[in-house]
Amino acid sequence: MKEKLFNAGILMCIGAMFLSCTSDDGVECAEDFTGDLSANEQKLVGEWVLSAIVAAKELDLTDDNTDNPSTDLFAQYAECKKDASYTFEEDRSYAYELGKYEEDCEYVVASTGTWELASQNLSLVSSCSLQTTALEFNEDSSQFTFSEIYTVTEVTGTVVQTRIDFTYSLIP
């Protein structure tokens, strides 16, 4: 159940990019981002790995026969589910990968496209679609966090709606 929740969350983020992707019905595709990076955008160049998943409400997602809710969702997931990364290049290309480093992961995702950071809003163009997400950087710009509201089903079957923060850390 917990794997389905995490996979659903990842798929929702990625799926949003694919919803408007059709070229046969006359729908205009989002254009790729081009041009030189601004000084603000330079801080995003590099590889960023998922380092934290925190819920606003305590949740129990582990099937361990113990009632042990926590806001730290990252600690409740198997290694393959934590293995997510974004790589942002200076030519404005990016790659999102799930299951990149862990071996024998059953669920592997790869997505590519172009990116732009305007103020604190990250825009991604992939497969004909545009997605924009507000980022919050820490003081030295070595981590960024974004938030989404999710409806989560705990291991007990209880359904909870909560904000979930995803934090990515820059690999030095």
Side-chain angles (χ1 to χ4, degrees):
M1 179 62 80
K2 64 184 177 189
E3 291 179 16
K4 289 181 183 176
L5 165 70
F6 184 75
N7 291 343
I10 295 298
L11 284 177
M12 285 174 36
C13 291
I14 293 172
M17 293 187 291
F18 296 109
L19 287 177
S20 67
C21 182
T22 57
S23 58
D24 295 339
D25 63 4
V27 174
E28 294 285 327
C29 288
E31 290 191 31
D32 286 335
F33 293 109
T34 60
D36 294 335
L37 299 180
S38 69
N40 181 51
E41 291 175 309
Q42 291 290 336
K43 68 184 173 191
L44 206 53
V45 172
E47 184 175 5
W48 300 77
V49 296
L50 182 63
S51 56
I53 306 171
V54 178
K57 297 179 183 176
E58 288 188 338
L59 302 170
D60 187 359
L61 305 177
T62 57
D63 191 10
D64 59 4
N65 296 319
T66 304
D67 184 22
N68 53 353
S70 171
T71 58
D72 183 1
L73 302 186
F74 194 75
Q76 297 186 52
Y77 283 101
E79 294 305 311
C80 282
K81 304 304 176 202
K82 298 184 223 183
D83 182 14
S85 67
Y86 283 96
T87 302
F88 298 99
E89 303 289 350
E90 289 189 21
D91 66 358
R92 293 201 177 273
S93 64
Y94 84 91
Y96 171 80
E97 297 173 275
L98 179 64
K100 178 178 180 177
Y101 294 112
E102 289 297 319
E103 292 184 25
D104 301 323
C105 293
E106 293 178 17
Y107 188 74
V108 178
V109 173
S111 177
T112 60
T114 60
W115 67 278
E116 175 182 76
L117 182 65
S119 183
Q120 299 304 318
N121 295 310
L122 175 62
S123 296
L124 304 174
V125 172
S126 180
S127 299
C128 195
S129 183
L130 171 68
Q131 178 184 10
T132 301
T133 304
L135 302 183
E136 208 173 293
F137 287 88
N138 66 349
E139 283 186 30
D140 66 359
S141 296
S142 63
Q143 292 184 325
F144 68 79
T145 300
F146 63 88
S147 303
E148 298 287 336
I149 303 295
Y150 288 98
T151 301
V152 180
T153 303
E154 294 184 277
V155 71
T156 60
T158 304
V159 177
V160 178
Q161 187 172 38
T162 187
R163 185 190 83 240
I164 299 179
D165 301 332
F166 297 86
T167 300
Y168 285 78
S169 299
L170 181 62
I171 294 178

